[in-house]
Amino acid sequence: MNNYPNFKDKETFKKAFKAYLEAKYAIDFEKSTPYQQYVVLGEMIRYYIAKDWNNTNQVTFDTKAKKVYYFSMEFLIGRMITNNLMNAGVYNVVKEAFDDMGIDLNEVEHQESDAGLGNGGLGRLAACFMDSVASLGLPVHGNCIRYRYGFFEQGVVNGYQVEHPDRWLKDVHVWEIRKDDQAVEIPFYGYIQMSTVNGKLVVEHKDAEYVKAVPYDVPMIGAGNHIVNTLRLWSAEPASTYPENDAFQYARNLREISSMLYPNDDTDEGKLLRLKQQYFFVAAGVNGAIRLHKKTFGTVKNLADKVVFHINDTHPALIVPELMRILVDEEGLPWEEAWNITKNCCAYTNHTILAEALEKWPVHLFKRLLPRIYTITEEINRRVLLEIAQTYGPNSKQAYDMAIIKDGRVHMATLAIHGSFSVNGVAALHTEILKNIEMKVFNDYYPGKFNNKTNGITHRRWVAQSNPELVEILNKYCGEEWIKDPEKYFPLLLKIADDPKAQKEFAKMKKARKDALAAKIFKEQGISLDTNSIFDVQVKRLHEYKRQLMNALHIMYIYNRLKSDAEFKKNYHPHTFIFGAKAASGYVLAKKIIKLINTIADKVNNDYETNSLLKVVFCVNYNVTYAETIMPAADVSEQISTASKEASGTGNMKFMMNGAITCGTLDGANVEIGELVGDDNIVIFGMTAKEVTDLYEQGGYNPWDYYNNDERIHQIIDQLTNGFFDHVDPNEFQMIRDTLLGKDNYFVLKDFDSYVKAQEKINELYKDQKKWLHMSIVNIAKSGFFTTDRTMRQYNQDIWHVSPIQTVKAPAKKDTEAKAPAKKAPAKKTTAKKAA
Ligand SMILES: *Cc1c(COP(=O)(O)O)cnc(C)c1O
């Protein structure tokens, strides 16, 4: 199945690796650097899977299989090397060979830059999806932009966040392959000329400024099944024709398109460049897909039987008018037929109900940049409204609510809903809110279109790769098959949840992971942590609705209490509060909250009266790689968003699968976590989604009542501005005080008391280690539901309907062990092929 024999066994690999490295860098092997070793290892893996990759494409083509193109502005991939070694089934061969050669595999893995092509949860979800579909053998391919600069690198100076460009492509990107022959030219600006020639509509785009989209393909390697899917990253380059009057300006403008990822999570950027990026990768991806489809079938009429375009959040919603443009203008189909095909090809996932996140584009901007796409969108809107009028009459409220273009703006969510056969939310509660409140009008009009697909995480990265001690435990109690079906095998842990010997093993695992995190934090930030303390962790993007501020205020309260209440101090189990969060560069309040957390850390970590009981750490530059060390080390998972605001969350699932106890509100997937583990194995507090929604309807509440009536709140609010903190201007946190006592839109003060009680409960529960370990084991046992393998199966059953790719031979049985097979490498032909 694979004719690149260099991973056959340890000795063969050692020889090949050494020869390749010496040839590539023209140096003695002994003098090579870890970076050079990384590049050689990466390239060898890519050669190793090349045949499978080609084969996967060829089989899908030959069998004329239906496939999915998953369009997402973000894929937060992180490092790929460990994942690729494991999924390709060569991890142990390489590990043992490196041990022999005196190379630290871990150090080599750390040479890879973290591919941060995303902001947070949404992009990480897309990356987890890619791992699962490849592992399930489903023909699902990603489309995104090859941003030269990914999500910014965070620094902290004097407690303030500073942003540095993420130059992840500065060294070679070993995984990608540039495909010049599949480049696509994309038109912007200009004007449209329509004429009729022999009774046929001819649409010409005049004076357009073309940009060439060049694909770079990145392999998405399935676990032990010899399936390799493709993540296609589009890069902007000069087209064959360009405006002669200002070639330099043209070159600068086009470079911008694939230059950087917008660092905004959950806010609508509304910038021309962002719209350009969206059309750029949508048009490139859709045109590429149609080209391949026509090569396979010679017609577009069966497109809906063979292709699904998945629209991940509204960012790629231009797929809808772009597909219409191709079908009507280029393929000459009548509008109705084209619309039918389009509606049956597209599926849309909604990720948020936050009003500020719903994308809307000013008509004047849209029209100028994308003249033809605009007229098509107008026509879609006109026809949709005519149809709505048949049900609700003209000028109805429903018609207004469901219009795509209104008040001078193009509404992308609305466009995506009309143009898709499926609209899904990302957790049960979120989908219910969409159906019954936020998008009720659409759900009434399109019964059956809305459905739920609860998010997930890939257990291969978040357990197999990140938590070796847990892997050992799972192998022991669940059997090595767990990696193939965690939902089936994890529950075997329930039997040993109270077994003292097993509990000890879990405790040891957690301690080892806490030691690893503590070592990393000490190395990077010089803060030493007590790994017998409770690791209470909140890592996620910084946003008011996620309420890092409530966590920070609670720490201030604990500090005050420790300083003033001896009885409390005696009962307080040592705590380490760990944060990690990037704030969008323009989000002033979010940045203030980072400063506040660092200021609190500075104060409490340096107080010798309390710092054996209370420590605070702000982990700098939280990203996927960091998360791989943090998730397994947590005792407590902070999921404290204002109920109804967090669509799902996926961090909550990573923590759960590694045995942390959720301290959370009834929001997003926390609700489902709670249902799975039961009330005794989760700590829930705070307002419910319904209470939140009702309170908003009443116009909110008066935070001053809480300030005046709750001494704890009074004290901490005052401390924000009364000189309590050393080395900061007393006005530093005025803005935070004003926000809390102004509207407190996210109900921080309102939920504060309930949060304090939840934290008290956690303190007591942790002291009873038998009880705590029971809870922890139950959480792991029930977490199998959250594998993205399950999520992807459900997408496929209900939305995509594609069949697994038929590989030539069934994969060797041992290929999918948690640790790739040490002794048995996959069967390979021995066709000689020389490296380098
Ligand atoms: C999982 C993950 C997220 C999402 O976390 P939430 O708590 O669900 O918001 C964000 N960033 C990184 C790096 C992640 O790995």
Side-chain angles (χ1 to χ4, degrees):
M1 202 164 300
N2 208 308
N3 70 353
Y4 189 72
N6 289 332
F7 291 87
K8 195 173 65 185
D9 54 56
K10 185 171 85 168
E11 296 306 325
T12 315
F13 174 76
K14 271 158 51 176
K15 254 196 358 240
F17 182 76
K18 189 160 175 280
Y20 189 163
L21 193 145
E22 294 190 339
K24 183 174 173 90
Y25 288 106
I27 51 164
D28 286 339
F29 171 72
E30 288 69 27
K31 296 200 177 121
S32 62
T33 63
Y35 178 71
Q36 291 167 333
Q37 292 157 3
Y38 156 70
V39 171
V40 168
L41 176 60
E43 289 185 355
M44 284 177 73
I45 298 168
R46 189 156 62 67
Y47 287 171
Y48 177 66
I49 57 94
K51 181 121 185 172
D52 287 340
W53 198 0
N54 182 28
N55 193 41
T56 303
N57 286 328
Q58 197 57 45
V59 169
T60 349
F61 182 79
D62 291 345
T63 57
K64 302 188 182 230
K66 183 179 185 184
K67 50 183 170 242
V68 178
Y69 294 96
Y70 191 86
F71 281 76
S72 178
M73 280 288 268
E74 305 190 1
F75 283 85
L76 190 53
I77 313 171
R79 284 184 188 142
M80 279 173 274
I81 182 124
T82 314
N83 193 245
N84 287 351
L85 282 166
M86 286 188 172
N87 283 6
V90 297
Y91 185 88
N92 284 357
V93 174
V94 172
K95 175 85 177 73
E96 286 168 19
F98 274 17
D99 283 348
D100 283 2
M101 298 163 100
I103 300 174
D104 179 357
L105 176 55
N106 193 39
E107 191 188 356
V108 171
E109 289 166 321
H110 277 67
Q111 302 302 308
E112 181 163 316
S113 38
D114 181 290
L117 308 184
N119 271 287
L122 175 137
R124 184 53 234 171
L125 181 76
C128 284
F129 280 4
M130 289 295 113
D131 183 61
S132 282
V133 285
S135 298
L136 296 170
L138 299 175
V140 180
H141 305 284
N143 268 275
C144 186
I145 294 171
R146 185 175 179 269
Y147 303 103
R148 249 174 309 122
Y149 301 97
F151 192 27
F152 70 82
E153 208 181 288
Q154 181 188 54
V156 169
V157 175
N158 190 26
Y160 297 101
Q161 166 176 299
V162 291
E163 297 120 37
H164 307 289
D166 164 46
R167 298 161 57 233
W168 74 291
L169 286 173
K170 66 183 186 299
D171 310 312
V172 291
H173 183 212
V174 296
W175 307 113
E176 68 186 8
I177 298 179
R178 181 184 162 94
K179 296 270 170 81
D180 285 282
D181 59 315
Q182 292 179 49
V184 181
E185 301 214 337
I186 315 293
F188 292 100
Y189 301 109
Y191 63 99
I192 302 300
Q193 206 167 67
M194 298 208 204
S195 52
T196 321
V197 177
N198 301 330
K200 283 212 153 186
L201 179 75
V202 174
V203 181
E204 285 175 281
H205 197 149
K206 298 279 193 186
D207 277 357
E209 205 176 287
Y210 282 92
V211 174
K212 185 160 85 169
V214 182
Y216 285 73
D217 286 354
V218 180
M220 297 284 118
I221 303 173
N225 59 0
H226 297 282
I227 298 292
V228 182
N229 285 338
T230 303
L231 170 60
R232 179 157 276 197
L233 304 177
W234 295 94
S235 182
E237 294 186 13
S240 46
T241 56
Y242 50 87
E244 277 167 25
N245 49 357
D246 199 350
F248 285 111
Q249 190 56 41
Y250 166 76
R252 273 196 297 275
N253 287 350
L254 83 90
R255 270 177 74 83
E256 258 184 13
I257 296 176
S258 52
S259 160
M260 62 127 203
L261 169 85
Y262 273 94
N264 262 337
D265 190 56
D266 289 326
T267 29
D268 165 15
E269 190 73 34
K271 293 247 169 61
L272 182 70
L273 178 57
R274 174 96 174 160
L275 185 60
K276 251 187 185 174
Q277 289 185 328
Q278 294 182 351
Y279 185 66
F280 168 76
F281 98 106
V282 157
V286 173
N287 280 277
I290 300 284
R291 197 152 66 186
L292 181 60
H293 180 85
K294 284 184 73 179
K295 194 172 144 200
T296 320
F297 298 99
T299 173
V300 287
K301 297 207 170 200
N302 66 342
L303 192 71
D305 300 330
K306 293 294 172 184
V307 168
V308 178
F309 292 113
H310 204 100
I311 301 172
N312 189 36
D313 211 332
T314 53
H315 321 138
L318 291 172
I319 288 176
V320 174
E322 174 62 9
L323 190 51
M324 285 301 288
R325 188 194 66 75
I326 294 171
L327 297 175
V328 173
D329 293 359
E330 293 183 8
E331 299 297 327
L333 297 190
W335 182 278
E336 291 77 11
E337 191 179 354
W339 183 237
N340 241 336
I341 294 175
T342 300
K343 270 192 310 187
N344 287 310
C345 277
C346 297
Y348 158 59
T349 299
N350 174 285
H351 283 271
T352 177
I353 56 160
L354 297 181
E356 62 268 35
L358 291 177
E359 285 190 301
K360 299 171 225 48
W361 292 104
V363 164
H364 66 92
L365 208 142
F366 194 115
K367 203 169 172 171
R368 194 162 61 88
L369 184 71
L370 308 168
R372 181 55 181 152
I373 294 302
Y374 182 72
T375 53
I376 288 173
T377 306
E378 248 183 343
E379 182 62 11
I380 294 173
N381 185 46
R382 191 183 70 82
R383 288 177 184 243
V384 160
L385 290 180
L386 276 177
E387 232 180 76
I388 294 170
Q390 288 183 6
T391 310
Y392 297 111
N395 304 320
S396 57
K397 178 167 187 319
Q398 286 93 337
Y400 176 82
D401 288 347
M402 289 192 274
I404 299 167
I405 304 173
K406 57 189 162 193
D407 310 325
R409 293 193 291 185
V410 184
H411 292 241
M412 302 301 270
T414 308
L415 175 64
I417 297 169
H418 289 300
S420 298
F421 64 87
S422 162
V423 176
N424 74 281
V426 291
L429 175 70
H430 171 234
T431 303
E432 284 312 302
I433 293 174
L434 287 181
K435 282 164 77 168
N436 302 321
I437 303 171
E438 293 300 319
M439 294 182 169
K440 183 173 187 320
V441 59
F442 289 98
N443 188 46
D444 290 345
Y445 186 62
Y446 293 122
K449 195 185 268 202
F450 284 73
N451 61 90
N452 178 245
K453 297 287 168 285
T454 299
N455 280 168
I457 56 168
T458 169
H459 59 283
R460 283 169 292 275
R461 180 175 294 258
W462 296 108
V463 176
Q465 186 183 317
S466 306
N467 195 340
E469 290 83 2
L470 181 54
V471 168
E472 248 175 66
I473 295 176
L474 292 167
N475 284 345
K476 180 167 167 190
Y477 293 108
C478 303
E480 293 184 1
E481 294 283 292
W482 66 266
I483 191 100
K484 287 190 186 155
D485 194 348
E487 206 176 352
K488 178 170 165 195
Y489 294 105
F490 279 8
L492 292 174
L493 295 176
L494 291 174
K495 282 193 297 201
I496 49 101
D498 293 306
D499 177 74
K501 199 174 123 266
Q503 283 199 345
K504 223 172 172 171
E505 294 169 86
F506 279 90
K508 227 175 120 193
M509 171 276 282
K510 190 53 79 180
K511 182 75 163 60
R513 289 295 99 207
K514 286 163 81 171
D515 285 338
L517 176 60
K520 181 177 164 75
I521 288 171
F522 183 75
K523 187 167 150 231
E524 288 180 14
Q525 291 173 236
I527 302 171
S528 61
L529 303 180
D530 170 10
T531 51
N532 290 313
S533 67
I534 298 174
F535 276 23
D536 180 308
V537 186
Q538 186 174 22
V539 286
K540 47 182 76 244
R541 286 301 300 272
L542 211 136
H543 204 294
E544 286 161 275
Y545 83 79
K546 291 178 184 277
R547 297 199 294 193
Q548 283 95 347
L549 180 55
M550 188 166 73
N551 189 343
L553 297 180
H554 171 258
I555 296 168
M556 289 173 68
Y557 155 72
I558 292 292
Y559 177 73
N560 292 336
R561 200 71 197 270
L562 289 173
K563 296 287 277 185
S564 62
D565 183 340
E567 189 61 24
F568 178 86
K569 191 171 175 181
K570 213 173 74 200
N571 285 317
Y572 194 67
H573 193 281
H575 269 69
T576 302
F577 290 95
I578 297 169
F579 292 86
K582 289 180 186 175
S585 48
Y587 194 166
V588 179
L589 184 57
K591 288 180 152 179
K592 275 285 181 218
I593 294 170
I594 290 179
K595 172 68 176 169
L596 176 64
I597 293 167
N598 283 310
T599 305
I600 294 170
D602 187 47
K603 175 116 190 157
V604 308
N605 294 353
N606 292 307
D607 188 327
Y608 296 104
E609 277 177 36
T610 58
N611 67 8
S612 61
L613 293 171
L614 181 61
K615 276 261 169 76
V616 180
V617 188
F618 184 86
C619 295
V620 181
N621 199 36
Y622 175 61
N623 60 10
V624 172
T625 302
Y626 215 142
E628 287 165 15
T629 310
I630 293 175
M631 297 299 170
D635 294 307
V636 178
S637 159
E638 294 278 352
Q639 308 300 335
I640 59 178
S641 52
T642 313
S644 80
K645 297 288 178 186
E646 187 76 88
S648 163
T650 50
N652 46 3
M653 302 168 188
K654 299 169 198 163
F655 282 115
M656 177 197 190
M657 210 177 265
N658 282 282
I661 308 304
T662 304
C663 173
T665 49
L666 283 173
D667 201 14
N670 299 351
V671 176
E672 285 155 89
I673 294 177
E675 281 165 6
L676 282 161
V677 300
D679 295 348
D680 291 344
N681 298 302
I682 189 167
V683 179
I684 293 292
F685 71 93
M687 299 169 76
T688 62
K690 172 140 189 7
E691 287 165 350
V692 167
T693 319
D694 289 350
L695 193 54
Y696 280 132
E697 250 160 50
Q698 294 162 30
Y701 80 112
N702 186 3
W704 281 91
D705 294 342
Y706 287 74
Y707 174 75
N708 289 326
N709 297 325
D710 187 327
E711 270 178 48
R712 303 163 303 180
I713 290 176
H714 199 107
Q715 185 180 14
I716 53 185
I717 294 275
D718 283 355
Q719 284 171 335
L720 289 173
T721 51
N722 69 3
F724 167 73
F725 294 117
D726 326 300
H727 323 299
V728 295
D729 187 300
N731 292 319
E732 181 72 49
F733 302 119
Q734 186 66 45
M735 184 186 189
I736 293 180
R737 182 188 162 102
D738 291 348
T739 304
L740 290 168
L741 292 178
K743 287 201 92 164
D744 188 18
N745 252 320
Y746 298 95
F747 306 141
V748 170
L749 301 187
K750 190 147 179 55
D751 267 348
F752 185 79
D753 175 63
S754 164
Y755 182 52
V756 169
K757 291 197 171 94
Q759 282 284 352
E760 283 167 357
K761 187 167 170 190
I762 281 168
N763 189 62
E764 292 314 306
L765 285 167
Y766 193 85
K767 286 196 265 178
D768 182 352
Q769 274 294 295
K770 252 180 87 70
K771 171 106 190 90
W772 185 268
L773 287 163
H774 169 93
M775 293 172 72
S776 173
I777 295 169
V778 171
N779 269 271
I780 301 173
K782 296 286 188 174
S783 69
F785 173 76
F786 293 111
T787 170
T788 32
D789 289 6
R790 185 270 310 155
T791 313
M792 292 290 84
R793 281 198 190 96
Q794 291 180 337
Y795 270 77
N796 195 36
Q797 261 166 30
D798 300 344
I799 305 173
W800 298 337
H801 310 298
V802 298
S803 307
I805 301 157
Q806 300 301 315
T807 40
V808 188
K809 284 176 212 154
K813 199 177 169 299
K814 279 260 157 183
D815 280 7
T816 37
E817 283 173 25
K819 283 300 178 63
K823 299 123 231 148
K824 282 192 212 165
K828 278 161 286 182
K829 290 182 200 150
T830 45
T831 323
K833 187 175 172 214
K834 227 176 144 20

